[in-house]
Amino acid sequence: MPKHELILLKNMMQPGYGGSLQDYERTGGYQALRKAVGKVPPTEVTMAVMKSGLRGRGGAGFPTGVKWGFLPKDYQGPRYLCCNADESEPGTFKDRQLMERDPHQLLEGIVLTCYAIGAESAYIYIRGELVLAAKILEQAIKDARAAGYIGANILGTGITANVWVHRGAGAYICGEETALLESLEGKRGLPRFKPPFPATNGLYNKPTVVNNVETLANIPHILGRGPEWFASIGSPPKSTGTRVFCVSGHVKSPGNYEMPMGITFRELIYEVAGGMRSDKPLKAFIPGGASAPFLTPDHLDVKLDFESVAAAGSMLGSGGVTVMEEGTPMVWAALRLMEFFYHESCGKCSPCREGSSWLVQTMRRIVAKRGQMEDLETLVDLCKNIEGRTVCAFGDASVAPIMGTLKYWRSEYVTLIQEAEAANLIRPEEIAVRH
Amino acid sequence: MLKEKYATEIEEIISRYPVRRSALIPLLYLAQRDEGFVSEAAMKEIAGLLRLTPPQVYETATFYTMINLKRVGKFHLQVCKSLMCALAGSDTVIEWVKTKLGIGPGETTSDGLFTLSAVECLAACGTAPMMQVNEDYYERLTEDTFDRILSDLKRDGTCPLKTGPFMWPEPVNAKS
């Protein structure tokens, strides 16, 4: 695997780097802000981000500059930036590190984005559990304000950008951008219908941009070193830059690894993360967080970029790669993820609210060796009636583990059911309920 | 009364937002910090502070898992049970709690010290198994570290094994 340059994790890999304002400035921090704010027109900043090809790192992969460009040009009222720091996708733990180890990198990205989109207020919506990250960010905001990088009249330019930390309270759905806005408004975190999109009707019904932590952390580097530099990294033209891949599960060295997009799963798992933790071979992996359907060893040479993973029938999503060794019971694995989605369904849409409950109950029966063959049809039927029938993408995500495992490991479901039938473990009262 | 005790803090929180209702979750946290959970009286008071109806406060408070509507132990052990942690043995951690403290998920020890919750993903998949105790993360748990955390918490109220700013894997130089 060729050597490559770290962008987002570079500072924190330096010995002695603590993430303070002085540390960050010493490594060239806030130079992009000094160069751009009040000097380069906001439209040019947006153009540069468009040219860089940067795509959202939260999961959906929408081009960042294009998203900014959707804000109405002639709207005179307030606009908002919301930094989506509600990282809750099982398998993903990169934003936490970006915030705790190098908070000013994120803050510089936030201020530059505020400048580009004309927002005077930014909220960092951080998941409530990350108390330490919230404290570190609050201190960093205080320091950056004292240094003139945040607040009214930034570096004497007359530009205003205020940043606040807003802690969520433990709801995965609030990572969905419209649910995040509802939650920030003090309500239940239920997703809104789209359209209208946040670009025109966002926070407090005002034009709003919602960007992920990793996305925003890239902005200072794009503006500091130029969009062409950024666009040359990774897997151009559509998957540019690096990603912080979170590797978890049965590998020797799990952790966060920043790699150019376009490396293969084989390289990431066997070279970067040290290979399998025991002598057992690889059985399955999840390529992009819990919402991404499972892949098999046959997909090891798929490249980690948006298009290649999609072509393999899954998605790059949040960049969380979870590895499972031979011997991992796949029906159990799918059930564990399903329990997550069942727990986290916000309840707004009936197919997701009711369907996830039925899915969990059916899966639990099968795992407990009390399933019947017809349960497999029921599972597919339920999945089909959830997918595409909900306000947000949560419904689609929640069926991914079951559909993925049914596709590649159907025999494991069948074996469990055959064992149930052989042992005659089905309780009469369950049959009565089902018929 | 929250208003008498935290007047300045409440004003500061409300001033962050152009719409008062946005201060709702921060104020619920404030109430929780004060009493250990959010009582009905606190919800009514917050409703008054934000010019909302009590049901508006209640409907928000009940949506979020981190808002405790009843008292929890002095140390709230939240063990992540999602797949990534389960692959690394989180079910065993829950068993340790059961055998060492005699409580299952949702239960509190009789001395009121520990409450166990089995929770979903806490963004620590690379350092599993893990648990959060009140505001602190403890990662890469083994039975030894788990025992030490429990005894330190009982004795000192805190434990030095808690995670600092997160970085995994650590840079090679930092280890030397």
Side-chain angles (χ1 to χ4, degrees):
Chain A
M1 200 175 47
K3 288 281 277 180
H4 68 279
E5 185 192 355
L6 295 178
I7 300 172
L8 300 174
L9 305 188
K10 187 177 182 179
N11 286 345
M12 60 185 88
M13 296 299 278
Q14 303 302 317
Y17 187 84
S20 68
L21 178 66
Q22 292 73 24
D23 281 351
Y24 186 61
E25 283 178 323
R26 203 171 50 239
T27 59
Y30 287 113
Q31 287 305 317
L33 186 148
R34 286 180 182 276
K35 210 166 87 177
V37 173
K39 293 177 183 147
V40 180
T43 46
E44 272 185 40
V45 175
T46 305
M47 276 308 292
V49 175
M50 272 186 203
K51 268 193 218 157
S52 75
L54 174 69
R55 292 170 65 175
R57 302 313 199 213
F62 193 81
T64 305
V66 176
K67 194 185 225 183
W68 295 2
F70 286 154
L71 259 64
K73 308 265 178 299
D74 49 355
Y75 184 82
Q76 295 302 315
R79 298 148 182 258
Y80 295 99
L81 169 66
C82 295
C83 168
N84 188 343
D86 193 56
E87 178 170 76
S88 327
E89 175 96 352
T92 315
F93 45 96
K94 62 188 172 63
D95 294 346
R96 184 179 155 213
Q97 182 166 329
L98 290 169
M99 291 186 284
E100 291 184 3
R101 282 283 175 161
D102 209 359
H104 287 282
Q105 177 177 248
L106 171 63
L107 292 180
E108 187 178 7
I110 288 175
V111 175
L112 284 166
T113 307
C114 280
Y115 175 65
I117 64 171
E120 295 196 342
S121 301
Y123 293 98
I124 302 174
Y125 186 101
I126 185 168
R127 65 176 302 187
E129 290 89 341
L130 301 183
V131 183
L132 180 63
K135 283 181 185 164
I136 288 173
L137 280 169
E138 272 170 0
Q139 183 59 47
I141 291 169
K142 212 183 267 179
D143 296 342
R145 184 177 287 124
Y149 297 125
I150 286 177
N153 194 18
I154 294 170
L155 299 174
T157 56
I159 310 285
T160 296
N162 282 304
V163 186
W164 289 277
V165 175
H166 182 96
R167 282 178 64 208
Y172 168 73
I173 189 63
C174 295
E176 197 278 340
E177 62 175 2
T178 59
L180 183 152
L181 299 174
E182 285 283 300
S183 178
L184 189 43
E185 290 178 6
K187 304 170 199 160
R188 295 169 83 93
L190 306 181
R192 299 174 181 168
F193 283 100
K194 291 191 281 192
F197 290 91
T200 52
N201 300 66
L203 187 62
Y204 312 122
N205 218 20
K206 305 284 191 258
T208 302
V209 165
V210 184
N211 280 151
N212 171 261
V213 169
E214 190 186 349
T215 313
L216 291 166
N218 271 300
I219 305 296
H221 303 284
I222 290 171
L223 295 177
R225 300 174 70 174
E228 294 79 13
W229 162 80
F230 191 85
S232 71
I233 302 167
S235 186
K238 287 193 168 169
S239 294
T240 60
T242 59
R243 281 298 290 267
V244 181
F245 294 112
C246 321
V247 189
S248 61
H250 298 148
V251 288
K252 278 205 178 76
S253 309
N256 284 323
Y257 298 98
E258 182 177 9
M259 293 286 142
M261 272 196 272
I263 69 156
T264 64
F265 284 103
R266 191 182 299 279
E267 288 170 320
L268 183 70
I269 294 170
Y270 287 97
E271 292 178 37
V272 179
M276 303 304 289
R277 72 170 182 190
S278 63
D279 296 332
K280 292 181 187 170
L282 171 73
K283 181 173 185 180
F285 60 93
I286 304 174
S291 308
F294 291 53
L295 293 177
T296 72
D298 291 342
H299 301 105
L300 273 172
D301 291 311
V302 170
K303 288 180 174 179
L304 280 135
D305 60 44
F306 290 106
E307 292 72 33
S308 306
V309 184
S314 190
M315 61 182 198
L316 189 56
S318 59
V321 179
T322 303
V323 178
M324 283 159 271
E325 65 191 11
E326 201 60 65
T328 309
M330 298 313 288
V331 188
W332 166 83
L335 169 61
R336 270 302 161 105
L337 288 179
M338 198 55 235
E339 283 177 339
F340 167 81
F341 287 111
Y342 167 53
H343 182 262
E344 297 295 337
S345 174
C346 77
K348 177 162 182 160
C349 315
S350 307
C352 178
R353 183 184 63 241
E354 307 286 328
S356 60
S357 162
W358 283 106
L359 283 174
V360 163
Q361 287 181 46
T362 312
M363 292 288 285
R364 280 183 184 157
R365 268 208 311 266
I366 296 173
V367 170
K369 295 189 183 172
R370 298 208 307 273
Q372 289 179 300
M373 269 323 156
E374 66 190 54
D375 286 339
L376 296 184
E377 284 166 45
T378 308
L379 286 177
V380 174
D381 188 40
L382 282 165
C383 288
K384 283 185 179 162
N385 278 292
I386 297 174
E387 203 170 12
R389 292 170 195 263
T390 52
V391 165
C392 77
F394 186 99
D396 297 358
S398 71
V399 305
I402 293 178
M403 291 305 278
T405 47
L406 269 174
K407 185 171 165 191
Y408 296 115
W409 297 280
R410 188 185 171 89
S411 61
E412 293 194 20
Y413 284 82
V414 172
T415 305
L416 283 169
I417 292 167
Q418 282 171 342
E419 285 173 10
E421 286 173 347
N424 202 16
L425 282 174
I426 303 163
R427 295 172 188 165
E429 67 269 23
E430 284 178 352
I431 295 171
V433 169
R434 278 186 244 176
H435 293 287
Chain B
M1 291 293 278
L2 296 169
K3 198 178 174 189
E4 283 151 25
K5 270 168 101 171
Y6 305 103
T8 324
E9 194 174 347
I10 290 170
E11 272 318 300
E12 190 277 320
I13 289 170
I14 292 173
S15 75
R16 296 176 205 163
Y17 310 97
V19 174
R20 289 177 89 86
R21 186 171 180 164
S22 279
L24 180 45
I25 292 178
L27 291 189
L28 288 169
Y29 272 131
L30 184 81
Q32 187 153 300
R33 195 178 79 202
D34 187 58
E35 277 190 283
F37 73 112
V38 181
S39 64
E40 201 177 308
M43 283 193 267
K44 283 182 179 156
E45 189 190 346
I46 291 171
L49 288 167
L50 298 181
R51 296 169 200 148
L52 299 170
T53 63
Q56 284 174 315
V57 175
Y58 188 73
E59 72 174 9
T60 299
T62 51
F63 184 78
Y64 297 96
T65 53
M66 289 179 68
I67 306 298
N68 300 321
L69 298 179
K70 56 180 186 185
R71 206 172 281 284
V72 293
K74 185 176 174 195
F75 302 109
H76 190 187
L77 311 181
Q78 301 185 67
V79 181
C80 173
K81 65 177 260 295
S82 291
L83 174 66
M84 292 67 190
C85 275
L87 291 172
S90 61
D91 291 359
T92 318
V93 178
I94 292 173
E95 286 305 314
W96 292 337
V97 182
K98 279 184 187 160
T99 51
K100 292 166 203 289
L101 295 174
I103 49 169
E107 293 171 357
T108 303
T109 51
S110 54
D111 56 8
L113 269 188
F114 296 99
T115 297
L116 171 65
S117 297
V119 300
E120 295 291 354
C121 193
L122 289 170
C125 320
T127 37
M130 62 82 66
M131 67 175 172
Q132 181 170 20
V133 182
N134 298 348
E135 298 192 342
D136 300 317
Y137 274 35
Y138 295 89
E139 295 166 78
R140 296 170 67 83
L141 293 172
T142 62
E143 191 161 9
D144 285 347
T145 58
F146 181 81
D147 287 343
R148 178 161 168 212
I149 293 162
L150 287 193
S151 62
D152 281 6
L153 288 176
K154 275 187 204 166
R155 195 184 55 239
D156 309 328
T158 182
C159 173
L161 296 178
K162 66 185 176 191
T163 313
F166 179 71
M167 178 89 183
W168 200 263
E170 288 173 321
V172 179
N173 292 330
K175 284 180 191 161
S176 56

